[in-house]
Amino acid sequence: MMLPLHFRELGQGRPLVILHGLFGTLDNWQTLARRWSEHFRVIVVDLRNHGRSPHANEHTYELMSADVLGLFDQLQLGNDVTLLGHSMGGKVAMRFALDYPERLARLVVLDIAPRFSDMAHQDEILAGLNAVDLNTVQSRQEADDALAQHIRQPGVRQFLLKNLYRREDNSFAWRPNLAVLTAEMNDIGAEISHAHPFLKPALFIRGGRSNYISTEDKLHSIPALFPNSQVETIVDAGHWIHAEAPDQVFEMVTAFTNQ
């Protein structure tokens, strides 16, 4: 079933719609969204089971693509839209472009390929999130201490803790639908495929220190579905490319959208 997605809008002009990655929210994109809003009508979105969007028991790319279509219809977006997605959001964006090509002018994908992604690397993150006892935790520091038993990198913990909020009764809760995301992790890694390629312009930006887009993807899996695509590399960035190299991402996406 299609879900009504939570979103935020800034600026005016040609629409640029932004989809976050796994365990992310639209808040992760606020700094770049503000910069782009001086040039475009920017719409930052919380995907299902994330942020302030509704929770559901299913988490497939087919359904997430349909959710985004519902938002396009709600906002009465024409066909001059740039759709940008990072990681899981990049797979949603690819699936949307293939499902509804007439609704887009161009596609931007950050550091993800259409092939199946092995999600085993998320095990420690899931273990950490599930280790935080929301019934007893009294502070963010206590939550961070619980996460640290499984996740060594402080930056990853800080990213995840942005999802922790206080309910009206002052207890803590996670914004993501942790139970469903844990159960559906294989679907989140699913390959994106389609009978017909997306023929409009597509820009893939990969991090030079990331292995999410391989040379094989650049030569085969990406052009098979997106024959009018280019793959650019930001040498000094890892997977969190927009956080690590915001100026370069800003310039690349602005130039591509203005083509």
Side-chain angles (χ1 to χ4, degrees):
M1 189 177 85
M2 188 186 291
L3 295 182
L5 299 177
H6 174 251
F7 66 94
R8 198 171 294 151
E9 228 180 311
L10 308 88
Q12 52 194 350
R14 179 181 286 172
L16 170 63
V17 179
I18 301 174
L19 309 178
H20 62 78
L22 181 63
F23 301 124
T25 73
L26 60 78
D27 292 333
N28 307 145
W29 284 90
Q30 282 310 293
T31 305
L32 273 170
R34 277 196 294 273
R35 290 180 68 182
W36 277 318
S37 71
E38 295 175 16
H39 306 267
F40 311 115
R41 175 189 178 190
V42 182
I43 299 143
V44 275
V45 183
D46 280 335
L47 294 166
R48 66 165 55 204
N49 293 318
H50 288 77
R52 292 170 174 80
S53 281
H55 288 185
N57 288 328
E58 292 178 289
H59 197 83
T60 67
Y61 288 112
E62 180 184 11
L63 289 169
M64 288 189 278
S65 171
D67 293 343
V68 174
L69 178 66
L71 182 67
F72 273 50
D73 289 343
Q74 177 187 342
L75 296 174
Q76 298 180 320
L77 298 180
N79 57 8
D80 192 19
V81 181
T82 302
L83 180 60
L84 179 157
H86 170 248
S87 201
M88 178 190 77
K91 283 195 162 180
V92 178
M94 283 187 258
R95 179 64 196 253
F96 183 91
L98 294 162
D99 286 342
Y100 314 108
E102 71 285 353
R103 301 301 297 265
L104 292 183
R106 59 197 72 76
L107 171 71
V108 181
V109 176
L110 295 193
D111 211 54
I112 197 79
R115 65 175 156 84
F116 172 77
S117 313
D118 182 354
M119 301 305 285
H121 63 284
Q122 297 292 341
D123 288 353
E124 64 178 20
I125 288 179
L126 289 170
L129 291 169
N130 284 298
V132 179
D133 186 346
L134 296 172
N135 295 316
T136 61
V137 71
Q138 298 289 312
S139 67
R140 285 182 175 276
Q141 185 57 54
E142 284 184 23
D144 187 44
D145 291 343
L147 283 176
Q149 303 297 313
H150 298 274
I151 302 164
R152 288 207 308 267
Q153 309 95 311
V156 175
R157 298 202 303 274
Q158 288 310 306
F159 166 74
L160 294 170
L161 286 168
K162 289 178 181 173
N163 285 295
L164 194 66
Y165 74 103
R166 284 193 187 271
R167 295 191 179 108
E168 286 181 11
D169 66 3
N170 221 31
S171 66
F172 280 107
W174 291 116
R175 292 210 182 275
N177 188 345
L178 205 48
V180 165
L181 294 176
T182 301
E184 301 290 304
M185 198 51 69
N186 250 5
D187 276 339
I188 295 168
E191 179 185 3
I192 301 299
S193 59
H194 209 272
H196 304 287
F198 178 73
L199 301 176
K200 294 175 182 177
L203 171 64
F204 286 73
I205 306 175
R206 67 175 181 172
R209 292 188 286 102
S210 169
N211 58 6
Y212 279 77
I213 295 180
S214 66
T215 304
E216 181 74 11
D217 294 320
K218 189 175 176 179
L219 295 174
H220 299 293
S221 76
I222 291 172
L225 285 172
F226 304 98
N228 190 12
S229 64
Q230 60 197 89
V231 180
E232 301 290 347
T233 302
I234 298 178
V235 176
D236 295 333
H239 183 57
W240 300 101
I241 199 163
H242 51 297
E244 295 172 39
D247 293 343
Q248 286 160 284
V249 170
F250 175 80
E251 296 296 345
M252 284 180 174
V253 173
T254 304
F256 179 71
T257 303
N258 277 329
Q259 276 177 10

Short mmCIF file of all heavy atoms in Angstrom, two decimals, residues 19 35 71 83 91 100 120 123 224 242:
data_model
loop_
_atom_site.label_atom_id
_atom_site.label_comp_id
_atom_site.label_asym_id
_atom_site.label_seq_id
_atom_site.Cartn_x
_atom_site.Cartn_y
_atom_site.Cartn_z
N LEU A 19 16.36 11.77 -1.70
CA LEU A 19 16.02 10.59 -0.90
C LEU A 19 17.24 10.12 -0.12
O LEU A 19 18.29 9.85 -0.71
CB LEU A 19 15.53 9.46 -1.82
CG LEU A 19 14.43 9.80 -2.83
CD1 LEU A 19 14.11 8.57 -3.69
CD2 LEU A 19 13.18 10.32 -2.14
N ARG A 35 21.62 25.05 0.41
CA ARG A 35 22.46 25.61 -0.67
C ARG A 35 21.77 25.46 -2.02
O ARG A 35 21.75 26.41 -2.82
CB ARG A 35 23.82 24.92 -0.68
CG ARG A 35 24.69 25.28 0.51
CD ARG A 35 26.03 24.56 0.46
NE ARG A 35 26.89 25.04 -0.63
CZ ARG A 35 28.09 24.55 -0.90
NH1 ARG A 35 28.58 23.55 -0.16
NH2 ARG A 35 28.81 25.02 -1.91
N LEU A 71 3.94 11.04 -3.70
CA LEU A 71 4.41 12.38 -3.34
C LEU A 71 4.47 13.29 -4.57
O LEU A 71 4.08 14.46 -4.52
CB LEU A 71 5.78 12.29 -2.68
CG LEU A 71 6.38 13.61 -2.21
CD1 LEU A 71 5.59 14.21 -1.06
CD2 LEU A 71 7.84 13.43 -1.80
N LEU A 83 15.71 13.65 -9.70
CA LEU A 83 15.56 12.81 -8.51
C LEU A 83 16.94 12.34 -8.09
O LEU A 83 17.67 11.74 -8.88
CB LEU A 83 14.65 11.62 -8.82
CG LEU A 83 14.40 10.64 -7.67
CD1 LEU A 83 13.74 11.33 -6.48
CD2 LEU A 83 13.54 9.46 -8.14
N LYS A 91 18.78 3.43 -4.62
CA LYS A 91 18.07 2.29 -5.22
C LYS A 91 16.59 2.62 -5.42
O LYS A 91 15.99 2.22 -6.42
CB LYS A 91 18.25 1.03 -4.37
CG LYS A 91 19.62 0.39 -4.56
CD LYS A 91 19.69 -1.03 -4.03
CE LYS A 91 20.90 -1.77 -4.62
NZ LYS A 91 21.00 -3.16 -4.14
N TYR A 100 8.74 4.82 -13.67
CA TYR A 100 7.97 6.01 -14.10
C TYR A 100 8.88 7.00 -14.84
O TYR A 100 9.02 8.16 -14.43
CB TYR A 100 7.32 6.70 -12.89
CG TYR A 100 6.63 5.74 -11.95
CD1 TYR A 100 7.19 5.44 -10.70
CD2 TYR A 100 5.43 5.12 -12.31
CE1 TYR A 100 6.56 4.54 -9.83
CE2 TYR A 100 4.79 4.23 -11.45
CZ TYR A 100 5.37 3.95 -10.22
OH TYR A 100 4.75 3.06 -9.36
N ALA A 120 25.46 -7.78 5.01
CA ALA A 120 26.08 -8.32 6.24
C ALA A 120 26.81 -7.23 7.02
O ALA A 120 26.90 -7.30 8.26
CB ALA A 120 27.04 -9.45 5.89
N ASP A 123 25.15 -5.73 10.09
CA ASP A 123 24.87 -6.55 11.28
C ASP A 123 25.25 -5.83 12.58
O ASP A 123 24.50 -5.86 13.56
CB ASP A 123 25.60 -7.89 11.20
CG ASP A 123 24.99 -8.82 10.15
OD1 ASP A 123 23.93 -8.48 9.60
OD2 ASP A 123 25.58 -9.89 9.89
N ALA A 224 23.79 -0.97 -18.43
CA ALA A 224 22.74 -1.87 -18.91
C ALA A 224 21.36 -1.29 -18.65
O ALA A 224 20.45 -1.41 -19.49
CB ALA A 224 22.88 -3.24 -18.24
N HIS A 242 28.16 12.76 0.55
CA HIS A 242 27.60 14.11 0.69
C HIS A 242 28.05 14.76 1.99
O HIS A 242 28.09 15.98 2.09
CB HIS A 242 26.07 14.07 0.61
CG HIS A 242 25.44 13.08 1.52
ND1 HIS A 242 25.66 11.73 1.39
CD2 HIS A 242 24.60 13.23 2.57
CE1 HIS A 242 24.98 11.09 2.32
NE2 HIS A 242 24.34 11.97 3.06
#
